[in-house]
Amino acid sequence: MQKVSFEVSGYHSDPEAGSSDPMSGDQLPPIYKKPTTKNSGFTTENSQRTRTPSPYVDLTLDIHDDRVSVQSLKSEGGSSVEESPELTLLKRNRLEKKTTVVKRLASVSHELKRLTSVSGGMRKPPRGPAKLDRTKSAATQALKGLKFISKTDGGAGWSAVEKRFNEITATTGGLLLRTKFGECIGMTSKDFALELFDALARRRNITGEVIDGDQLKEFWEQINDQSFDSRLKTFFDMVDKDADGRLTEDEVREIISLSASANNLSTIQKRADEYAALIMEELDPDNIGYIMLESLETLLLQAATQSVITSTGERKNLSHMMSQRLKPTFNRNPFKRWYRGFRFFVLDNWQRCWVIALWFIVMAILFTYKFMQYKHSPVYPVMGSCVCMAKGAAETLKLNMALILLPVCRNTITWLRNKTRLGRVVPFDDNLNFHKVIAVGIIIGVTMHAGAHLACDFPRLLAASPEAYRPLRKFFGDEQPKSYWHFVNSVEGITGVVIILLMAIAFTLATPWFRRGRLNLPGPLMILASFNAFWYTHHLFIIVYVLLVAHGYFLYLTKDWHNKTTWMYLIAPVILYACERLIRAFRSSIKAVTIRKVMVYPGNVLALHFSRPQNFKYKSGQYMFVNCAAVSPFEWHPFSITSAPQDDYLSCHIRVLGDWTRALKGVFSEVCKPPPAGQSGLLRADMMHGANNPDFPKVLIDGPYGAPAQDYKKYEVVLLVGLGIGATPMISIVKDIVNNLKANEQAQLNRMENGTSAPQQGNKKESFRTRRAYFYWVTREQGSFDWFKNIMNEVAERDSNRAIEMHNYCTSVYEEGDARSALIHMLQSLNHAKNGVDIVSGTRVMSHFAKPNWRNVYKRIAMDHPNTKVGVFYCGAPALTKELRHLALDFTHKTSTRFSFHKENF
């Protein structure tokens, strides 16, 4: 017995009207026919809502051989509410009239059997793969999709919707305007919400611009219906605006534009005509001019199939076991919990720990030494322990003012990192963090030193009796000071006050709020919240050091020159730093560069390609400083090198964020040629810098300098994560990995031709160990992918062994499974299968939607590479650093895979 449900419309009961017989001849009527009302005629599962009567009749028949029996006969427009006698009589007449049709169907049951195997009436079965089985894993994932309310929309259920409805309709008499529908249900995409409102209203034959609370609840129940069929039909209704059960190319084009607009995909929106034709070509191979619901469903499930990586049972079991192992365990013993946490902390941070511990020990020794020295001095009976604290803090200040210069001596640090083995025990990657720690130590030392003098030493000295002051005449003069002005109006006082003021300015403007321009200051004070303000005020340290030497020479309590040790602390670091700056100026003037190409990409990114100076050797992941005299002759700004060491040019990509980068873009925009027609956003710089173009801005470079990412060659497996413009060092690394793998393959072929199977033993170990790389690039703008489109296509083409796995994530697109991105996902799968190009990134690399699940990323790498040390390299904003570091430590502690985390923030 086979059960079939179908709809019959437009039949006549007159047996002599042969021309109207739907079964006469070879012609079959289409299943979908435009109704007389705006109702599309779809039935939502588990729904018992009030409907407008429809001319369709839903027949449920049992087909067995040539016998047909009516099992149920009902009007699709049936209502669960009380109806008027006229409406009931009308329905009864319609049913009696169409019963005759059922009797005639018995003679043509073999046609019905053929109908059950055909989708879409007159349509032939679509070419290509058959309709996917919903029991498959990919289809199961697709059935969870087509959500109309995502997590980012903030919908908290009907109670929250009802509360917003009451607030919005407080002044409209309980009626919700169409324009407020998206706000009420918590949908941030306004245009998409309007189309959803229209689709739901058409289903219920609502023609007005307002709905009441009961109608809103019906809308909400349908939106949140857990049935995939119901959601699919709702989505279909949004596209099918004329409610004829068919989708034309114009309707498909309109929903593509709507979906692209909701996801901020301007490129797709501009090419909506092309992509609409692509969908029609795939789903309408017979060119009949429309597509049906079943075809749309097949396309959706096929897209889900391509996005799911099937796994074996063994892999699934391993994944489940790892998930259980990664669950946090609670130890009731507080001592064991503390010991476990402390042990992991030391194992993960032992390099930082011993450096900070050594620094604390040295500070404590200096403070104690000076404290004990002044405890036995002649001034102790009068000034007490206050002078001991002031002098002890001053001694730590001398050393900290010397140490704070070392972390910014970049040439020295790069040399120590590359030429020595100190990198194994010294965390050179934390040089700027150590610089900040020392700055905090200086603030504490200045506070203790100045506070002890002003709040304790000087008051006790002013209040001392003449007899007590007599032993202090050789330090402060024969006449005892009578007020604070005596101390302020001296070299020690003036230099001390100026030093404190300059330090306060430099430290304040170095905080992230000022340096990154996060403060909205009034009027002319806004100039203080900029990188330029930070850069210039930070160089006040030159004046501070001069005043510090003077302050340390004209001392009240120390008269012998060999006991005035301030200059002794400072002389070596100051000379080293001065040499660093001279080397920078000398090297940048010798290594002249010419500009080969300048491009401005979407997302305000300026790409500069330079000629490569002779003997300019660098490693992927390193950075260089750039100076443009047309913007500022003094400012040097660091940027990651995006070209590979094997390239014959240098390149860097500069994100326009601050005042300096904005001015740099303006300078090049004035000089470069305007973009040719059809190439928006591209500034050509084919003319060379120098004699050929004297107006071109002069650019100097200095470097290269060491960075955390340059150590990727030490790991067999690397995870590269770039956030926005933070992808710049990772691009160079990806290119370098491909080049090295190709070079190793060629070397192996050469050895085989020469009859040797192993590489020649040398004095040095093989420096390149990387065999597998995972690259994750997360950006919120589709235009950002234009920055490295050519490079990513080149890598995808040259990486024949698939050693590099690249993942692009566009966070402006709603997560996969959301109704607003469903059609984008379908288009993506179609276009990539046909043309090999991703419609979001414009590259051969398929893009993902929303943000990555970083725990799953780590989990997959840990499963695929057990007992392996994985290098994790992150470059981007500090927001993601904590999560990536925490996951690296968590998986390191609980799996056999060891994750070593390195970060570079900007």
Side-chain angles (χ1 to χ4, degrees), residues 308-472:
V308 174
I309 302 176
T310 57
S311 304
T312 62
E314 182 180 355
R315 182 180 178 88
K316 290 182 179 179
N317 293 335
L318 180 60
S319 176
H320 178 72
M321 293 172 58
M322 183 171 293
S323 298
Q324 295 296 326
R325 190 185 311 166
L326 291 171
K327 289 183 178 179
T329 56
F330 181 78
N331 195 319
R332 295 184 178 181
N333 190 323
F335 177 77
K336 289 184 178 180
R337 289 202 309 269
W338 175 87
Y339 172 75
R340 184 174 181 272
F342 179 76
R343 175 173 169 268
F344 282 139
F345 176 81
V346 173
L347 289 175
D348 298 330
N349 302 278
W350 65 271
Q351 291 179 317
R352 302 181 182 91
C353 288
W354 83 261
V355 172
I356 296 298
L358 178 63
W359 179 68
F360 271 115
I361 291 173
V362 173
M363 294 296 106
I365 291 175
L366 289 176
F367 184 87
T368 304
Y369 162 72
K370 215 62 178 178
F371 189 96
M372 299 305 298
Q373 179 182 351
Y374 274 85
K375 192 173 183 178
H376 299 90
S377 67
V379 299
Y380 183 78
V382 176
M383 307 177 76
S385 298
C386 298
V387 69
C388 300
M389 293 186 62
K391 292 301 181 179
E395 201 69 15
T396 63
L397 270 173
K398 297 175 187 177
L399 180 61
N400 283 332
M401 291 297 292
L403 291 178
I404 201 169
L405 292 176
L406 298 181
V408 293
C409 292
R410 296 181 178 88
N411 286 297
T412 303
I413 292 177
T414 302
W415 182 84
L416 292 174
R417 177 202 291 272
N418 297 338
K419 303 299 182 180
T420 69
R421 297 184 177 181
L422 288 176
R424 299 179 179 180
V425 294
V426 179
F428 289 118
D429 295 344
D430 290 330
N431 59 323
L432 292 183
N433 288 333
F434 190 56
H435 180 80
K436 297 174 183 177
V437 169
I438 297 175
V440 174
I442 290 175
I443 293 175
I444 296 175
V446 168
T447 303
M448 291 181 60
H449 178 73
H453 277 322
L454 296 175
C456 187
D457 288 350
F458 296 162
R460 293 176 66 129
L461 185 63
L462 294 175
S465 62
E467 293 77 11
Y469 178 77
R470 187 175 296 110
L472 306 182

Side-chain angles (χ1 to χ4, degrees), residues 42-113:
F42 289 136
T43 304
T44 306
E45 294 181 3
N46 303 324
S47 175
Q48 297 187 9
R49 306 183 183 94
T50 303
R51 299 252 181 111
T52 302
S54 171
Y56 295 148
V57 176
D58 188 2
L59 302 179
T60 303
L61 307 177
D62 288 343
I63 301 175
H64 182 30
D65 295 334
D66 293 333
R67 297 185 301 274
V68 181
S69 62
V70 181
Q71 192 175 44
S72 65
L73 184 60
K74 61 183 178 180
S75 170
E76 183 181 346
S79 175
S80 59
V81 299
E82 184 177 356
E83 300 173 346
S84 64
E86 293 80 5
L87 182 59
T88 304
L89 180 60
L90 177 61
K91 289 186 175 182
R92 183 178 303 168
N93 292 335
R94 287 181 177 177
L95 291 177
E96 291 175 354
K97 185 177 180 180
K98 294 182 179 180
T99 303
T100 308
V101 178
V102 179
K103 296 178 181 179
R104 301 188 62 203
L105 289 176
S107 62
V108 289
S109 61
H110 62 280
E111 293 290 344
L112 292 179
K113 293 181 180 180

Side-chain angles (χ1 to χ4, degrees), residues 410-419 428-429 587 591 612 615-626 637-645 650-653 702-714 725-734 736 873 875 904:
R410 296 181 178 88
N411 286 297
T412 303
I413 292 177
T414 302
W415 182 84
L416 292 174
R417 177 202 291 272
N418 297 338
K419 303 299 182 180
F428 289 118
D429 295 344
R587 184 169 54 190
K591 295 183 178 180
R612 182 169 176 173
N615 298 325
F616 189 94
K617 298 180 180 180
Y618 65 96
K619 298 179 180 180
S620 291
Q622 292 185 330
Y623 65 95
M624 62 182 178
F625 279 82
V626 177
H637 292 259
F639 300 101
S640 298
I641 303 174
T642 54
S643 54
L650 289 175
S651 66
C652 64
H653 288 65
D702 176 54
Y705 292 102
Q710 75 176 60
D711 296 328
Y712 79 94
K713 293 183 178 181
K714 299 178 182 178
I725 196 62
T728 48
M730 310 309 171
I731 289 295
S732 177
I733 292 175
V734 167
D736 193 34
F873 298 91
C875 182
E904 184 177 353

Side-chain angles (χ1 to χ4, degrees), residues 511-546:
T511 57
W513 301 281
F514 285 92
R515 188 177 74 251
R516 297 183 180 272
R518 296 176 181 173
L519 295 180
N520 292 323
L521 299 178
L525 295 180
M526 192 61 195
I527 195 175
L528 298 178
S530 64
F531 185 86
N532 277 350
F534 153 75
W535 194 88
Y536 284 109
T537 56
H538 228 60
H539 282 75
L540 293 174
F541 79 93
I542 299 174
I543 302 175
V544 170
Y545 276 86
V546 173

